[in-house]
Amino acid sequence: MLKEGMIAPEFTLPNEKGEEISLSNFRGKKVVLYFYSKDNTPGCTRQACAYAGAYALFEEKNAVVIGVSKDSATSHEKFAAKHGLPFLLLADPEKEVHSLYGVLKEKTMYGKKTIGTERTTFLINEEGVLVRVRKKVNPDTDPAEVLALL
């Protein structure tokens, strides 16, 4: 289980353009790494649009925003274009990074148990250290709360 004070696990995933992006590319910047369930679902769309609306404020704080879901790069490309998202969306269809960061949880939907993504935001400092782990975040308030932490 990841805890504050630990080094954030390194990973490389394709972005919405199919380019390989590694966490280490952002050393020297703060990273807001948020995991969400699915492109174009109501809560995930509200969260992404709230991050997009505050993106200039994140940039002023030397922070990059990275969203990660199990969707494909193609799905991310359409999602970003539809909503004008200025930040990176990374595709993790194999759920390797989801597992690495411990965000896959058992959920019950319509009486059936499934494994899904627990909406979680990690704040990583310029040296790659986890400074905040936020679980079960509210998609509507997460961006403003993270901005306040910066």
Side-chain angles (χ1 to χ4, degrees):
M1 171 184 272
L2 295 179
K3 294 185 175 152
E4 294 169 6
M6 296 175 74
I7 297 292
E10 177 60 25
F11 63 82
T12 301
L13 289 172
N15 69 2
E16 69 280 3
K17 297 172 186 159
E19 304 163 332
E20 294 290 316
I21 303 294
S22 297
L23 181 61
S24 59
N25 294 354
F26 303 102
R27 285 289 158 87
K29 289 187 169 277
K30 297 173 186 117
V31 176
V32 177
L33 180 68
Y34 82 95
F35 289 82
Y36 66 100
S37 298
K38 189 160 179 53
D39 292 343
N40 291 305
T41 56
C44 297
T45 299
R46 290 194 314 271
Q47 184 179 23
C49 289
Y51 271 115
Y55 193 69
L57 299 172
F58 283 97
E59 287 185 311
E60 286 175 14
K61 304 233 181 231
N62 192 36
V64 296
V65 175
I66 303 171
V68 181
S69 81
K70 298 172 283 191
D71 295 299
S72 67
T74 302
S75 175
H76 284 338
E77 183 178 37
K78 292 174 185 172
F79 184 52
K82 180 177 181 180
H83 298 287
L85 305 179
F87 53 87
L88 290 169
L89 295 176
L90 302 183
D92 187 25
E94 303 299 320
K95 302 178 221 143
E96 292 173 7
V97 177
H98 280 69
S99 294
L100 193 60
Y101 277 77
V103 299
L104 292 174
K105 301 293 177 191
E106 186 176 273
K107 297 178 174 188
T108 304
M109 187 179 286
Y110 306 114
K112 184 179 178 185
K113 291 184 189 270
T114 62
I115 300 294
T117 303
E118 180 178 66
R119 193 182 307 274
T120 308
T121 302
F122 297 89
L123 183 55
I124 303 166
N125 73 11
E126 296 88 343
E127 291 81 39
V129 175
L130 292 166
V131 294
R132 190 61 61 100
V133 178
R134 305 183 72 239
K135 295 180 178 232
K136 298 182 183 176
V137 299
N138 180 319
D140 299 311
T141 60
D142 181 46
E145 291 167 355
V146 170
L147 197 55
L149 291 171
L150 292 173

